[in-house]
Amino acid sequence: QVQLQQSGAELVKPGSSVKMSCKASGYTFTSYYIYWIKQRPGQGLEWIGRIGPGSGDTNYNEKFKGKATFTVDKSSSTAYMQLSSLTPEDTAVYYCARSLAYWGQGVMVTVSS
Amino acid sequence: DVVMTQTPVSLSVSLGGQTSISCRSSQSLVHSDGNTYLYWYLQKPGQSPQLLIYKVSNRFSGVPDRFSGSGSGTDFTLKISRVEPEDLGVYYCYQGTHYPNTFGAGTKLELK
């Protein structure tokens, strides 16, 4: 069955970076886009962008350009998202999803000094 | 950006009852390929969102037929019949036609 296993919660300091992972299983990793979604505490969902693991093609929400960077490792069927120059406004749960049909469990990122 | 306006913000329903949620987009969601990329999701408390409906009216695998989607262009509706306790949570519409893709603000479904 399709599964997306995300890395664990992160507590990071303002100004730092964080890199989270999304390990896919149960399907051909290179055949489907991986999407990244942000959800601030008690808030709605925000589309960060997506990456095509086969081609490396990316689409970013303009709002997150310079903030988020997507990469993949095809050998381990893992997608990554790095967030840089973190501020308290980046405190959120970050989800990966295969074509927005199958979702990971989310990574809680807390930005605090 | 395309704005997705969901109404109502919250709903109270009785178990076994029927209800509907509206989602209106600020632009037509008909893609140049002819498809309309309007999706519906349910997020239960403490869980990841789960896909209910894709491309307006197609139920995702395992979704009961109590859920149905309809609409076209800029005006869409999710109907839920015979409401069960596991249907409670926040419903989101989402458009994948235009960049950036956008979600509605959500509709919270609660028990009356």
Side-chain angles (χ1 to χ4, degrees), chain A residues 45-57:
Chain A
L45 303 164
E46 194 168 17
W47 186 83
I48 300 171
R50 67 176 190 173
I51 183 166
S55 62
D57 178 43

Side-chain angles (χ1 to χ4, degrees), chain A residues 17-86:
Chain A
S17 298
V18 67
K19 189 173 185 177
M20 64 191 74
S21 65
C22 172
K23 183 171 176 57
S25 61
Y27 72 98
T28 302
F29 179 62
T30 52
S31 296
Y32 297 87
Y33 277 92
I34 294 288
Y35 288 67
W36 292 92
I37 306 298
K38 176 182 180 180
Q39 186 170 39
R40 297 194 68 188
Q43 302 298 309
L45 303 164
E46 194 168 17
W47 186 83
I48 300 171
R50 67 176 190 173
I51 183 166
S55 62
D57 178 43
T58 56
N59 300 101
Y60 289 93
N61 186 335
E62 283 289 329
K63 179 179 177 181
F64 291 93
K65 283 187 177 177
K67 169 66 68 178
T69 303
F70 308 143
T71 56
V72 298
D73 177 356
K74 287 188 275 189
S75 68
S76 64
S77 298
T78 302
Y80 298 91
M81 178 172 69
Q82 178 163 322
L83 299 173
S84 61
S85 304
L86 291 165

